[in-house]
Amino acid sequence: MDKDTCIIFDFDGTLYPIIGFDSEQLLIHCLAQEADEAYRSEAERFIADDQAGCFLLEDFHLRYAALARRATPSHIDEVARRLAGLLDTRDREALARLKEESGADFVILSCGTENLAEAFLDHLGIRDLFSAIRAKRLIFTDGGEATVRVDIHTPEAKRRAVEELRDRYTTIVACGDGPTDIPMLEAADLGLVIDWSGSNESGPFETHTTLPSLCSAIETYLARAREA
Ligand SMILES: [Mg+2]
């Protein structure tokens, strides 16, 4: 057991399968349910554009920040509860076991929303496995509108965040699910992909279709690295 290993996870599509909406789309969808017609149609357009891959990341964040202004902690909690329901006991146990066996620090680097990732981990009872979450944060003020503070928001920012961790860790493993993770996967010693759909398209990174399989591949890699 050593503390010189860091295991990095992307959030959306990596720690849970995207079924219909990712976490930010689901938040805006939930807000739309209790909003007026103008907001609802703006929200629908936003989600459709995002799903169609129409956004440059800066445009996405600006529109997300505008729509998320009316979010509250209870909306965050509702979204997180629904997403946590997509995982089962084996997924939770696989992450807990990997943490136990590896002694590694777990970090989330995401272009999504920190509050949603935190609340998701809370619902699963595994927040204490993770030592840091870096993404965008919704800031709530009493009686005011939520604002967005951006930390990590681009694929290159994820790569830089991995490089910053080099000072602290000798071994870095990164797990992601999509094109925005590629710079982060390239910057790690081992980059792995999770494809919850099981379509198993071959890409440049070893691909797994479940969290338990992903976690055991990391354990095997770290065990070999320790022996070497
Ligand atoms: Mg993702």
Side-chain angles (χ1 to χ4, degrees):
M1 301 265 284
D2 45 48
K3 269 278 176 189
D4 66 357
T5 301
C6 183
I7 303 174
I8 300 166
F9 297 89
D10 163 56
F11 176 49
D12 297 286
T14 297
L15 286 175
Y16 72 90
I18 294 174
I19 299 170
F21 299 124
D22 69 21
S23 62
E24 291 180 330
Q25 293 162 357
L26 187 55
L27 175 64
I28 300 307
H29 174 77
C30 287
L31 295 172
Q33 303 314 298
E34 52 193 52
D36 58 24
E37 184 55 39
Y39 183 96
R40 275 207 302 280
S41 51
E42 175 64 18
E44 277 168 24
R45 245 196 329 272
F46 168 79
I47 291 169
D49 286 353
D50 192 25
Q51 289 176 334
C54 291
F55 285 127
L56 294 171
L57 281 163
E58 285 303 333
D59 297 340
F60 171 86
H61 294 309
L62 286 173
R63 272 178 72 185
Y64 176 66
L67 285 164
R69 276 203 292 258
R70 56 180 77 192
T72 64
S74 72
H75 293 116
I76 298 283
D77 192 64
E78 169 61 15
V79 169
R81 186 185 61 76
R82 287 166 66 169
L83 297 178
L86 298 172
L87 266 60
D88 66 24
T89 312
R90 281 166 303 186
D91 298 317
R92 267 201 318 266
E93 284 174 358
L95 289 166
R97 183 190 139 95
L98 175 61
K99 175 79 182 172
E100 171 92 23
E101 296 281 316
S102 66
D105 284 343
F106 283 11
V107 170
I108 292 177
L109 295 181
S110 162
C111 297
T113 299
E114 292 171 9
N115 320 54
L116 290 166
E118 282 167 6
F120 167 83
L121 298 175
D122 275 338
H123 272 279
L124 291 167
I126 56 170
R127 178 144 166 206
D128 59 345
L129 300 185
F130 291 79
S131 49
I133 300 173
R134 295 186 61 187
K136 302 189 292 289
R137 176 164 290 274
L138 281 169
I139 311 285
F140 302 107
T141 50
D142 286 342
E145 294 180 326
T147 56
V148 174
R149 189 187 66 211
V150 174
D151 177 11
I152 301 284
H153 68 313
T154 63
E156 279 306 315
K158 290 171 87 160
R159 182 204 297 276
R160 283 195 298 274
V162 175
E163 287 164 354
E164 285 166 20
L165 292 170
R166 280 283 168 210
D167 290 341
R168 248 183 299 158
Y169 300 101
T170 48
T171 306
I172 298 178
V173 176
C175 312
D177 75 301
T180 59
D181 296 313
I182 288 173
M184 168 179 95
L185 301 180
E186 286 173 345
D189 299 302
L190 173 68
L192 296 174
V193 165
I194 186 162
D195 173 8
W196 292 84
S197 74
S199 60
N200 242 336
E201 282 169 33
S202 62
F205 299 97
E206 184 181 309
T207 300
H208 294 265
T209 58
T210 66
L211 269 182
S213 161
L214 181 81
C215 290
S216 82
I218 297 171
E219 269 180 49
T220 305
Y221 171 82
L222 293 177
R224 287 207 188 114
R226 274 194 295 271
E227 280 164 20

